[in-house]
Amino acid sequence: MTQQTGLEALSSESRRFEPPADLAAKANVSADAYEQAAADRLAFWAEQAGRLEWATPWTEIVDWQPPYAKWFVGGTLNVAVNCLDRHVAAGNGERVALHWVGEPDGDTRDLTYAELLRQVSMTANALTELGVQAGDRVCIYLPMVPEAVISMLACARIGAAHSVVFGGFSAQALVDRITDAGAKVVITADGGYRRGSASALKPAVDEALERCPDVTAVLVVKRTRQDVAWAEGRDHWWADLVDRQPESHSAQAFDAEQPLFLLYTSGTTGKPKGILHTSGGYLTQCAWTHWAVFDLKPESDVYWCTADVGWVTGHSYLVYGPLANGVTQVMYEGTPDAGGRDRWWSIVEQYKVSILYTAPTAIRTFMKWGEDLPGGRDLSSLRILGSVGEPINPEAWMWYRRVIGGDRCPVVDTWWQTETGAMMVSPLPGVTSCKPGSAMGPLPGISVDVVDGEGRSVGETGGGFLTLDEPWPAMLRGIWNDDSRYRDTYWSRFPGRYFAGDGAKWDDEHVLWLLGRVDDVMNISGHRISTTEVESALVSHPKVAEAAVVGASDETTGQAIVAFVTVKGTVDDLESGGDEFAQELRAHVAKEIGPIAKPRQIVISPELPKTRSGKIMRRLLVDIAERRELGDVTTLADPAVVQAIDDTMGAAAAKG
Ligand code: PRX
């Protein structure tokens, strides 16, 4: 089982933090919600769906034909209308929707709900002019600029599904995603700002589109003003096409099950999966969890989710949840250290952020940078802190609460996945007394069960595999173009249950601890990358014979990618030395997948450790990568191989 070092031991942490009394007294959700949902789970979700604006009411709450669910059957709505028009109609058009903060200092834009509606309407008209119709797919490859949000909502408005590809993915990754989705339009930018300089995006699109003949149009945002190649007839500047469109757009209501987006995520094979989400159920759970888990007061809170729109957290808790709830939020383009390592805290101070939602990796980085930086800023506006993406170790949880939250803000650790669409396991800040490092338990309306290897429930205490044994509104509706993979990946290991791929344990007080992935998916800084995906990238290099990739514990990023590689011929045959070749391979992986998948370390070894039946022994490689005492090697075909690899690692470590 892949898990964070020490987490098991620390999960015996028994200290509790009670909800602050003033917060509990005015909380949006009380303990009654658990009882209400337990008494009638479907009625509970129907009540939450009622918080949205529907054009036609549903006739059935859920149609569950395992493993296929339809929620709010017969209901129709428009997702963008729920995120924009209804707030403007309610008199909140002048409320700021986005305080956008660019990476270069002073580069900011504020967009009210009315202004966002105007821009989304114009973009919806522009997409229609480009021939996009309801049911089509649009690929979005943008930096963290308001146009990313505008594009997503414009697609939703016309019933087209977006497929957002994180800007850190390569041209090859774009080809795979555009082709699988069958996207006909791509929205991109000349580039974006990252780590203090302008980086390019459009060249990757240009390269990708040489292999995607079905893409007919590219809409390009001018962000950095760098020179770009231009395909006449295919490419359109955003400012030329969008700005001349009518400012209003009359939105049609779509079926509750209208596809809203595809989001590609790593599985245990090399090919990323297009996770399909639809409209009514997804928006219901995003909006309700965002309102309940952050105890959101839309009229007074300033909310900041630091995730990129390229990941599911950006979809559900930067775009759909917050905008459906009509809150004011901050959206920041850059890295935490752009313009100084206290950039985030200066943003919190300036915009009086009251709710912050981020990942443990970021928290651990700030821990390394020291308390003085946040200490030098006024963070008194904060009232709730959220964590997501990977297990948060109790130390980081405590630091977050004490240093960032001034010992007064509850920390909510939220467990969920691209596939679940919205939060599933989390405390409620006005209700739950929290244990540092634990996501505590399922939210009202959500049913989880920890099971052993045979699929038997472990009951109230004990460890095993996390499963979901009842459907939930925001659940994925399938894998695009691959129904058998949908059934195999999630529903076959434990029949009748959704298998999340995570290990979990109930402690003695029936509190839930998430223990990390139990499959070949690594979690690097909260980003999911499969070992097979990186292995495929490595063996696509002409000189690589075999590759085995593992996730090794890393103090900051949770896990780090370590690759073991054998070459064709011998190491001595390499024109460049071993070190140089390792660098070449890292660059090769960045080209094939993207810089986020670059291994931290590549070990060129004479052979890989295999069992007598020829299976690579990953468990051993993890031990080697973590420089741990090696376990039993008796099943190895050749135990000397391990010694040889271990020596290579030792030599590399000695070199520093
Ligand atoms: O292993 C779990 C981990 O992240 C995986 C889902 O990754 P992704 O689909 O990219 O979505 C990330 C953002 C929701 C899960 O299978 N994970 C996510 N949140 C937590 C977590 N592990 C422990 N605690 C969490 N709070």
Side-chain angles (χ1 to χ4, degrees):
M1 180 182 300
T2 314
Q3 63 194 39
Q4 306 258 302
T5 313
L7 200 75
E8 269 285 4
L10 287 165
S11 69
S12 57
E13 175 83 62
S14 57
R15 206 167 352 169
R16 292 240 188 190
F17 289 87
E18 297 300 328
D22 56 338
L23 193 154
K26 289 182 284 178
N28 289 349
V29 181
S30 73
D32 297 348
Y34 291 98
E35 279 169 37
Q36 188 201 341
D40 190 340
R41 200 172 53 83
L42 297 186
F44 171 82
W45 283 120
E47 188 183 322
Q48 311 322 328
R51 302 174 67 246
L52 302 179
E53 186 177 297
W54 295 80
T56 324
W58 60 88
T59 50
E60 193 185 354
I61 300 171
V62 67
D63 172 10
W64 178 222
Q65 316 278 343
Y68 304 102
K70 290 187 183 136
W71 281 83
F72 308 115
V73 183
T76 66
L77 79 172
N78 185 291
V79 169
V81 166
N82 272 277
C83 292
L84 301 169
D85 307 48
R86 65 172 175 147
H87 305 314
V88 176
N92 294 322
E94 292 316 302
R95 183 181 293 167
V96 172
L98 291 180
H99 288 298
W100 178 76
V101 182
E103 194 182 270
D105 220 4
D107 192 359
T108 60
R109 274 162 78 184
D110 282 353
L111 284 93
T112 62
Y113 274 92
E115 176 58 15
L116 197 56
L117 171 58
R118 194 179 73 87
Q119 297 209 21
V120 167
S121 300
M122 289 161 74
T123 310
N125 289 326
L127 290 176
T128 306
E129 186 180 319
L130 292 177
V132 181
Q133 295 177 353
D136 288 345
R137 274 83 52 209
V138 172
C139 173
I140 300 177
Y141 185 64
L142 280 172
M144 283 283 281
V145 290
E147 285 78 4
V149 178
I150 293 165
S151 301
M152 290 163 78
L153 290 171
C155 289
R157 195 167 185 93
I158 60 173
H162 51 74
S163 162
V164 181
V165 178
F166 175 59
F169 279 118
S170 66
Q172 181 56 47
L174 262 175
V175 172
D176 297 343
R177 287 157 175 77
I178 291 172
T179 309
D180 187 73
K184 57 191 221 186
V185 168
V186 178
I187 307 179
T188 189
D190 48 359
Y193 288 97
R194 200 110 189 116
R195 298 192 199 289
S197 55
S199 61
L201 277 179
K202 183 147 189 297
V205 174
D206 292 333
E207 188 187 332
L209 294 194
E210 284 170 19
R211 281 167 282 160
C212 301
D214 295 337
V215 172
T216 52
V218 181
L219 189 54
V220 189
V221 174
K222 196 174 276 180
R223 169 71 190 121
T224 57
R225 305 189 172 275
Q226 53 199 313
D227 288 340
V228 290
W230 204 251
E232 234 20 91
R234 184 197 75 183
D235 297 352
H236 308 264
W237 284 114
W238 180 285
D240 291 343
L241 185 71
V242 175
D243 291 358
R244 66 170 162 78
Q245 298 294 328
E247 295 188 357
S248 67
H249 174 268
S250 114
Q252 178 194 336
F254 294 99
D255 191 88
E257 288 298 331
Q258 176 79 6
L260 180 62
F261 65 87
L262 298 179
L263 186 54
Y264 285 83
T265 188
S266 294
T268 53
T269 71
K271 190 174 171 280
K273 309 176 275 199
I275 303 298
L276 171 65
H277 282 288
T278 59
S279 302
Y282 170 79
L283 196 64
T284 296
Q285 194 176 332
C286 285
W288 183 76
T289 51
H290 182 256
W291 177 79
V293 169
F294 296 126
D295 187 41
L296 190 81
K297 313 292 187 207
E299 55 299 337
S300 54
D301 272 320
V302 178
Y303 164 82
W304 182 16
C305 167
T306 65
D308 192 284
V309 288
W311 309 109
V312 75
T313 308
H315 282 60
S316 303
Y317 296 103
L318 191 153
V319 180
Y320 293 111
L323 296 177
N325 287 327
V327 71
T328 295
Q329 64 176 326
V330 168
M331 175 180 186
Y332 171 54
E333 178 185 35
T335 52
D337 54 355
R341 286 179 164 182
D342 68 344
R343 184 71 187 269
W344 277 25
W345 316 123
S346 77
I347 293 173
V348 169
E349 181 179 77
Q350 182 182 350
Y351 290 99
K352 301 199 170 9
V353 172
S354 56
I355 303 169
L356 179 67
Y357 192 31
T358 193
T361 295
I363 300 165
R364 290 191 293 262
T365 303
F366 295 127
M367 285 170 80
K368 277 203 297 201
W369 291 350
E371 293 183 21
D372 289 353
L373 295 171
R377 297 286 179 171
D378 178 5
L379 306 183
S380 61
S381 54
L382 287 170
R383 59 181 203 93
I384 293 187
L385 303 174
S387 173
V388 62
E390 44 176 326
I392 177 162
N393 46 312
E395 252 190 325
W397 194 102
M398 292 292 292
W399 190 91
Y400 195 26
R401 188 188 146 91
R402 181 176 60 80
V403 179
I404 306 304
D407 249 336
R408 58 173 202 281
C409 304
V411 174
V412 287
D413 174 22
T414 62
W415 177 90
W416 57 293
Q417 309 176 297
T418 305
E419 291 87 341
T420 70
M423 297 170 184
M424 303 293 282
V425 178
S426 168
L428 288 175
V431 178
T432 318
S433 74
C434 290
K435 291 188 177 187
S438 165
M440 300 307 294
L443 285 165
I446 300 298
S447 181
V448 310
D449 197 15
V450 178
V451 299
D452 66 16
E454 271 70 57
R456 287 180 301 241
S457 174
V458 301
E460 296 276 297
T461 57
F465 303 97
L466 186 71
T467 67
L468 305 166
D469 55 356
E470 295 285 358
W472 63 100
M475 69 189 280
L476 76 165
R477 299 302 197 261
I479 295 178
W480 192 253
N481 283 339
D482 207 342
D483 187 50
S484 61
R485 193 171 177 198
Y486 171 64
R487 290 168 164 276
D488 290 352
T489 311
Y490 306 109
W491 303 94
S492 66
R493 173 88 195 259
F494 304 114
R497 293 160 179 274
Y498 172 90
F499 173 44
D502 282 50
K505 116 175 189 183
W506 296 110
D507 71 13
D508 296 348
E509 295 173 286
H510 194 56
V511 163
L512 192 61
W513 296 79
L514 279 314
L515 302 175
R517 302 288 306 191
V518 293
D519 52 15
D520 293 333
V521 174
M522 300 174 287
N523 191 326
I524 319 295
S525 301
H527 299 153
R528 249 164 92 167
I529 300 166
S530 88
T531 53
T532 338
E533 214 175 339
V534 182
E535 284 165 6
S536 310
L538 285 166
V539 295
S540 75
H541 188 285
K543 288 185 193 148
V544 171
E546 264 189 315
V549 167
V550 297
S553 297
D554 184 281
E555 253 188 36
T556 308
T557 58
Q559 286 187 314
I561 304 175
V562 179
F564 298 85
V565 165
T566 64
V567 294
K568 291 177 183 158
T570 70
V571 183
D572 300 333
D573 297 339
L574 294 172
E575 277 158 35
S576 51
D579 287 352
E580 239 174 87
F581 185 57
Q583 287 311 326
E584 185 180 326
L585 285 182
R586 292 178 80 239
H588 178 72
V589 173
K591 181 156 185 352
E592 288 294 306
I593 308 175
I596 52 164
K598 266 192 206 171
R600 179 184 71 184
Q601 188 176 12
I602 295 185
V603 184
I604 319 273
S605 57
E607 268 182 80
L608 297 178
K610 294 192 180 148
T611 60
R612 288 185 194 110
S613 60
K615 242 184 122 206
I616 294 173
M617 294 201 60
R618 289 170 188 286
R619 182 183 52 78
L620 262 182
L621 290 176
V622 175
D623 286 344
I624 294 173
E626 293 177 353
R627 312 285 311 138
R628 264 205 303 265
E629 200 64 30
L630 301 184
D632 183 11
V633 293
T634 51
T635 52
L636 271 177
D638 182 3
V641 169
V642 173
Q643 199 50 56
I645 301 174
D646 207 30
D647 289 348
T648 318
M649 291 285 287
K655 265 203 262 169

